[in-house]
Amino acid sequence: MEGQIGSLPDGSPWDLAAERRGDRDWIEDQWHSPDSRVVLMYDGQVAVDSDDRPLWMSSGRLPDDVLAWAFLGIDAHGCARFVASAAPATALNVDDWLPLRSLPSELAAELFSAVSLMNWHANHTHCPRCGAATSIHEAGWQRVCPEDNSRHFPRVDPAVIMLIHDGFDRVLLGRHKRWPVGWFSTLAGFVEPGETLADAVVREVAEEVGLQVVETTYLGSQSWPFPNSLMVGFHARAEYAAPQPDGDEIEEAHWLTREELASSSAAGTIKLPPALSISRWLIQQWYGEELPGEWART
Ligand SMILES: [Zn+2]
């Protein structure tokens, strides 16, 4: 959470109550219960109230034309939580939408599974085998084809994210070519078929900055629903050598000593990723305490 270097946001803030998903009558009762709360999403954005906080409403206030929905679990008060995705016509009538990245990190993290599920539903409306329109089952955690009865599950794409260090006093940070000057972060990339996570770390580092990784240490993971990733975080020790950015993804990369990292982030000459991200957590885990300054929301 923000302000801590020792922990990442939990995967879900609620009891998932996964065993209830197949109980259609119970789910139906919860959906119509005045105590249940639904958050509405459209195109990766969240309906918010006048304080820019997610707007949790009763299902009775929802429009009739929701495109997809899912049961998220039971909160600390025993109330069921749902997510629904709005049709474009409805979206036009809601004044206040915010992208997840614009919410305070702890509120955004609460909605990671909701956003990821709605992204999956939006992009998997038809059967990949026969092309028939599929329907929602298991309270939003499956889609089923009415023609061949094939079942389809929410997709998660594993990606590795790694802070490169030299085993002594230096870390390597890179700037993506689409980022403004001064923004720096860890490297990252998707895992390819047949690779282990460690294989992916070694390959991505070699491709993006031309360095040889000799040791990988797993630190933690984070759901990253942009659109459906699981970021698996590592510290990767590499042979110290001049980095060779590929120019394709990484525009520049630099080794920084502990002191250079602290002084340049304090001076604002480099900006680090936001508190929400595992990339900042990986950097601060290596540094040992919080560092100042961040992208975008400063
Ligand atoms: Zn089918």
Side-chain angles (χ1 to χ4, degrees):
M1 303 296 272
E2 196 163 9
Q4 300 180 4
I5 63 159
S7 63
L8 283 166
D10 291 333
S12 170
W14 304 302
D15 174 3
L16 287 173
E19 72 284 0
R20 292 288 202 175
R21 292 174 190 162
D23 186 343
R24 286 193 184 198
D25 291 340
W26 185 86
I27 292 287
E28 182 85 15
D29 285 347
Q30 295 302 313
W31 177 262
H32 292 296
S33 164
D35 294 331
S36 296
R37 288 291 174 267
V38 189
V39 67
L40 195 60
M41 299 203 163
Y42 174 69
D43 196 21
Q45 302 198 84
V46 187
V48 294
D49 62 18
S50 54
D51 295 324
D52 287 348
R53 298 170 72 87
L55 179 62
W56 289 94
M57 60 186 102
S58 66
S59 65
R61 289 180 56 197
L62 283 177
D64 293 331
D65 57 347
V66 299
L67 296 179
W69 62 276
F71 169 60
L72 299 175
I74 299 173
D75 68 20
H77 306 291
C79 302
R81 300 276 189 144
F82 291 89
V83 58
S85 59
T90 299
L92 291 175
N93 291 326
V94 174
D95 288 337
D96 297 314
W97 296 97
L98 275 182
L100 207 56
R101 294 170 194 271
S102 300
L103 296 176
S105 56
E106 69 279 10
L107 294 177
E110 278 188 359
L111 295 173
F112 275 5
S113 65
V115 174
S116 193
L117 281 166
M118 292 303 101
N119 286 339
W120 173 70
H121 281 292
N123 294 318
H124 295 81
T125 54
H126 289 71
C127 177
R129 294 187 187 176
C130 74
T134 51
S135 56
I136 294 172
H137 282 246
E138 292 290 318
W141 293 77
Q142 272 184 38
R143 297 186 73 100
V144 176
C145 174
E147 297 296 327
D148 57 25
N149 292 317
S150 58
R151 297 189 297 162
H152 306 279
F153 297 88
R155 176 175 167 156
V156 177
D157 297 325
V160 289
I161 181 164
M162 47 278 175
L163 179 69
I164 301 166
H165 65 93
D166 69 352
F168 297 100
D169 190 45
R170 284 177 287 220
V171 285
L172 183 114
L173 298 179
R175 180 173 72 81
H176 198 283
K177 70 172 181 182
R178 291 199 304 270
W179 294 347
V181 171
W183 286 23
F184 282 91
S185 185
T186 52
L187 304 185
F190 285 107
V191 180
E192 294 185 343
E195 280 185 329
T196 65
L197 296 167
D199 289 341
V201 170
V202 171
R203 178 183 51 77
E204 286 285 345
V205 171
E207 286 176 4
E208 293 188 347
V209 293
L211 296 177
Q212 178 65 45
V213 168
V214 291
E215 184 183 10
T216 55
T217 306
Y218 169 75
L219 263 80
S221 64
Q222 184 181 41
S223 169
W224 197 245
F226 308 105
N228 292 103
S229 297
L230 174 69
M231 307 299 289
V232 186
F234 292 86
H235 281 176
R237 182 164 65 86
E239 306 266 8
Y240 181 75
Q244 295 175 316
D246 62 4
D248 188 32
E249 289 190 60
I250 301 300
E251 180 94 5
E252 56 177 320
H254 305 289
W255 288 103
L256 297 165
T257 65
R258 203 172 292 269
E259 192 181 329
E260 287 166 342
L261 177 64
S263 61
S264 49
S265 57
T269 49
I270 68 164
K271 286 193 165 59
L272 299 175
L276 176 65
S277 63
I278 190 173
S279 47
R280 188 185 189 92
W281 181 77
L282 289 170
I283 295 167
Q284 292 183 163
Q285 285 291 320
W286 178 83
Y287 184 68
E289 52 188 284
E290 280 189 65
L291 287 157
E294 67 179 72
W295 299 344
R297 293 198 288 115
T298 53

